[in-house]
Amino acid sequence: MSGAVDLTALKERADAQRQQAQRPNQTPRPAPPTDDGAPASGAAHGGAVLDITEATFETEVLARSQQQLVLVDLWAEWCEPCKQLSPVLEKLAGQAQGSWVLAKVDVDANPRIAQAFRAQSIPMVVAIAQGQPVAAFNGVRSEAEISQWVGEILSQLGDVLPGAAPVDAEPEADDPRMVAAEEKLNAGDFAGALDDYRAIAEAEPQNVEAASAARNLEFVLRAQAHDPAIVDTAAPADVDAQLAAADVLLLAQQPEAAFDRIIAVVKVTAGDDRTRARTRLLELFELFDPAEPFVVSARRKLATALY
């Protein structure tokens, strides 16, 4: 799955946060005990379980994965399946004898990490090797299933991890395809620019810039095609009309109202209609920084509506 996920932005953000937080004569402190006096999870498992933030993701996940397999556990306090899966993962990590470590990520506190992995549901577990995701699964699995899954990954990796080191890449020149697409956009040829961005994104799934440009342009063109009056005339049971109304509201810089429209549809629908509404909402989330308060709030509302 490495071709579909780009972790570069997380690394750059972690570098910036770490530089800002550095102070002279600072020394790392041990993790505090839990409320019941027990050691923190990482200490309890001899460092096999790590609590990860956006600031520590680069060093504790990406850099560590050059030498050791890292399993990233995406979880949240409100997620009941996560509470079933996490203890199993922690137990296995403690028994792994250093062959792999578990990196736990609270998606509510670290939404950019979840966004980077394109997590649409949790729990989600992603295996990272040499700075890239190599396998993943969603939902709860048994201890035996997880052990077999990890064993297969380690077997396939063989001797790839020990001693591996990242290679500094030369600065890349501007992509002439992206330059051509931008020129069409600036000239008002929106359809031509969209075709170009889509073609680049389809040919290179890891090209985040092209995919983002295509998503934004698709949304603007779709929203501009709607009659603004749909906001007031859309029938509550008309899914297409409600989705169109959400587009109009978002184009008018009313993201909270737009998201609430679709969440209301999710609450009263089922089957294909509910899936369509949920998918559209997730697509709209991708137009914004995942740390935006209204995005975080809407994600929580969506989770409540679904579960």
Short mmCIF file of all heavy atoms in Angstrom, two decimals, residues 78-81 120-123 138-139 266-267 274 278 299-307:
data_model
loop_
_atom_site.label_atom_id
_atom_site.label_comp_id
_atom_site.label_asym_id
_atom_site.label_seq_id
_atom_site.Cartn_x
_atom_site.Cartn_y
_atom_site.Cartn_z
N TRP A 78 -13.52 6.75 22.07
CA TRP A 78 -14.93 6.43 21.87
C TRP A 78 -15.14 5.14 21.10
O TRP A 78 -16.27 4.67 20.94
CB TRP A 78 -15.62 7.57 21.12
CG TRP A 78 -14.88 8.07 19.92
CD1 TRP A 78 -14.06 9.14 19.85
CD2 TRP A 78 -14.86 7.48 18.60
NE1 TRP A 78 -13.53 9.27 18.58
CE2 TRP A 78 -14.01 8.27 17.79
CE3 TRP A 78 -15.49 6.37 18.04
CZ2 TRP A 78 -13.78 7.98 16.45
CZ3 TRP A 78 -15.25 6.08 16.69
CH2 TRP A 78 -14.41 6.88 15.92
N CYS A 79 -14.06 4.55 20.59
CA CYS A 79 -14.15 3.38 19.70
C CYS A 79 -14.13 2.09 20.51
O CYS A 79 -13.08 1.68 21.04
CB CYS A 79 -12.98 3.43 18.71
SG CYS A 79 -12.81 1.94 17.71
N GLU A 80 -15.28 1.44 20.63
CA GLU A 80 -15.36 0.19 21.40
C GLU A 80 -14.54 -0.94 20.78
O GLU A 80 -13.86 -1.67 21.50
CB GLU A 80 -16.83 -0.23 21.55
CG GLU A 80 -17.64 0.68 22.45
CD GLU A 80 -17.08 0.75 23.86
OE1 GLU A 80 -16.59 -0.29 24.36
OE2 GLU A 80 -17.13 1.83 24.47
N PRO A 81 -14.56 -1.15 19.45
CA PRO A 81 -13.70 -2.19 18.88
C PRO A 81 -12.22 -1.96 19.17
O PRO A 81 -11.47 -2.93 19.32
CB PRO A 81 -14.00 -2.10 17.37
CG PRO A 81 -15.37 -1.53 17.29
CD PRO A 81 -15.45 -0.56 18.42
N GLN A 120 -10.52 5.57 7.06
CA GLN A 120 -11.95 5.87 7.01
C GLN A 120 -12.71 5.18 8.13
O GLN A 120 -13.88 5.46 8.35
CB GLN A 120 -12.52 5.46 5.65
CG GLN A 120 -11.92 6.25 4.50
CD GLN A 120 -12.64 6.01 3.19
OE1 GLN A 120 -13.61 5.27 3.12
NE2 GLN A 120 -12.18 6.65 2.14
N SER A 121 -12.07 4.26 8.83
CA SER A 121 -12.67 3.63 10.00
C SER A 121 -11.56 3.14 10.90
O SER A 121 -10.43 2.92 10.46
CB SER A 121 -13.57 2.46 9.58
OG SER A 121 -12.82 1.42 8.98
N ILE A 122 -11.87 2.99 12.19
CA ILE A 122 -10.92 2.47 13.15
C ILE A 122 -11.61 1.39 13.98
O ILE A 122 -12.85 1.38 14.05
CB ILE A 122 -10.36 3.59 14.07
CG1 ILE A 122 -11.50 4.34 14.77
CG2 ILE A 122 -9.48 4.53 13.29
CD1 ILE A 122 -11.01 5.34 15.81
N PRO A 123 -10.83 0.48 14.56
CA PRO A 123 -9.37 0.45 14.57
C PRO A 123 -8.79 0.11 13.20
O PRO A 123 -9.38 -0.64 12.44
CB PRO A 123 -9.05 -0.65 15.59
CG PRO A 123 -10.25 -1.55 15.53
CD PRO A 123 -11.41 -0.65 15.31
N ASN A 138 -8.24 -3.48 8.97
CA ASN A 138 -9.21 -2.74 9.76
C ASN A 138 -10.01 -3.71 10.62
O ASN A 138 -10.22 -4.86 10.25
CB ASN A 138 -10.17 -1.96 8.87
CG ASN A 138 -9.51 -0.76 8.21
OD1 ASN A 138 -8.91 -0.88 7.16
ND2 ASN A 138 -9.62 0.40 8.84
N GLY A 139 -10.50 -3.21 11.74
CA GLY A 139 -11.38 -4.01 12.57
C GLY A 139 -10.63 -4.88 13.56
O GLY A 139 -9.41 -4.85 13.67
N VAL A 266 -27.10 10.74 7.00
CA VAL A 266 -26.56 9.47 7.50
C VAL A 266 -27.46 8.91 8.59
O VAL A 266 -27.71 7.69 8.65
CB VAL A 266 -25.13 9.67 8.03
CG1 VAL A 266 -24.64 8.42 8.77
CG2 VAL A 266 -24.18 10.02 6.89
N LYS A 267 -27.97 9.77 9.45
CA LYS A 267 -28.79 9.32 10.58
C LYS A 267 -30.10 8.67 10.14
O LYS A 267 -30.60 7.75 10.81
CB LYS A 267 -29.11 10.50 11.50
CG LYS A 267 -27.92 11.01 12.29
CD LYS A 267 -28.34 12.18 13.17
CE LYS A 267 -27.18 12.70 14.00
NZ LYS A 267 -27.57 13.86 14.83
N ARG A 274 -26.99 5.49 2.70
CA ARG A 274 -26.15 5.86 3.83
C ARG A 274 -24.67 5.81 3.44
O ARG A 274 -23.89 6.70 3.79
CB ARG A 274 -26.42 4.93 5.01
CG ARG A 274 -25.69 5.34 6.27
CD ARG A 274 -25.95 4.37 7.40
NE ARG A 274 -26.33 5.06 8.61
CZ ARG A 274 -26.19 4.55 9.83
NH1 ARG A 274 -25.71 3.33 9.97
NH2 ARG A 274 -26.54 5.23 10.88
N ARG A 278 -22.11 8.98 3.57
CA ARG A 278 -20.88 8.89 4.35
C ARG A 278 -19.66 9.11 3.46
O ARG A 278 -18.73 9.85 3.83
CB ARG A 278 -20.80 7.52 5.02
CG ARG A 278 -19.48 7.22 5.71
CD ARG A 278 -19.52 5.84 6.33
NE ARG A 278 -18.21 5.43 6.81
CZ ARG A 278 -17.27 4.87 6.08
NH1 ARG A 278 -17.49 4.65 4.77
NH2 ARG A 278 -16.10 4.52 6.60
N ARG A 299 -16.28 14.78 12.43
CA ARG A 299 -15.89 13.37 12.48
C ARG A 299 -16.49 12.68 13.69
O ARG A 299 -16.94 11.53 13.61
CB ARG A 299 -14.36 13.24 12.50
CG ARG A 299 -13.70 13.46 11.15
CD ARG A 299 -12.22 13.09 11.19
NE ARG A 299 -11.58 13.25 9.90
CZ ARG A 299 -11.62 12.37 8.92
NH1 ARG A 299 -12.28 11.24 9.09
NH2 ARG A 299 -11.00 12.60 7.77
N ARG A 300 -16.51 13.36 14.80
CA ARG A 300 -17.11 12.78 16.00
C ARG A 300 -18.62 12.60 15.82
O ARG A 300 -19.18 11.58 16.22
CB ARG A 300 -16.81 13.67 17.21
CG ARG A 300 -15.35 13.62 17.64
CD ARG A 300 -15.05 14.61 18.73
NE ARG A 300 -13.66 14.50 19.18
CZ ARG A 300 -13.05 15.42 19.92
NH1 ARG A 300 -13.69 16.52 20.29
NH2 ARG A 300 -11.80 15.24 20.31
N LYS A 301 -19.26 13.59 15.23
CA LYS A 301 -20.70 13.49 14.98
C LYS A 301 -20.99 12.33 14.03
O LYS A 301 -21.98 11.60 14.21
CB LYS A 301 -21.23 14.80 14.38
CG LYS A 301 -21.24 15.98 15.34
CD LYS A 301 -21.75 17.24 14.62
CE LYS A 301 -21.72 18.44 15.53
NZ LYS A 301 -22.17 19.66 14.80
N LEU A 302 -20.14 12.17 13.01
CA LEU A 302 -20.34 11.06 12.05
C LEU A 302 -20.19 9.73 12.76
O LEU A 302 -20.98 8.80 12.52
CB LEU A 302 -19.32 11.18 10.93
CG LEU A 302 -19.33 10.03 9.90
CD1 LEU A 302 -20.69 9.93 9.22
CD2 LEU A 302 -18.21 10.21 8.89
N ALA A 303 -19.18 9.61 13.63
CA ALA A 303 -18.99 8.36 14.35
C ALA A 303 -20.20 8.03 15.22
O ALA A 303 -20.66 6.89 15.29
CB ALA A 303 -17.73 8.45 15.22
N THR A 304 -20.76 9.06 15.87
CA THR A 304 -21.95 8.85 16.70
C THR A 304 -23.14 8.41 15.84
O THR A 304 -23.91 7.53 16.21
CB THR A 304 -22.30 10.14 17.44
OG1 THR A 304 -21.19 10.51 18.28
CG2 THR A 304 -23.54 9.95 18.31
N ALA A 305 -23.26 9.03 14.67
CA ALA A 305 -24.38 8.70 13.78
C ALA A 305 -24.27 7.28 13.25
O ALA A 305 -25.28 6.59 13.04
CB ALA A 305 -24.43 9.68 12.61
N LEU A 306 -23.02 6.81 13.04
CA LEU A 306 -22.82 5.47 12.48
C LEU A 306 -22.92 4.38 13.51
O LEU A 306 -23.39 3.27 13.21
CB LEU A 306 -21.44 5.41 11.80
CG LEU A 306 -21.29 6.20 10.51
CD1 LEU A 306 -19.81 6.22 10.08
CD2 LEU A 306 -22.14 5.59 9.40
N TYR A 307 -22.47 4.68 14.74
CA TYR A 307 -22.38 3.62 15.74
C TYR A 307 -23.29 3.83 16.93
O TYR A 307 -23.45 2.99 17.76
CB TYR A 307 -20.93 3.49 16.22
CG TYR A 307 -19.95 3.25 15.10
CD1 TYR A 307 -19.06 4.23 14.68
CD2 TYR A 307 -19.92 2.01 14.43
CE1 TYR A 307 -18.18 4.00 13.64
CE2 TYR A 307 -19.03 1.79 13.39
CZ TYR A 307 -18.17 2.78 13.01
OH TYR A 307 -17.29 2.56 11.97
#
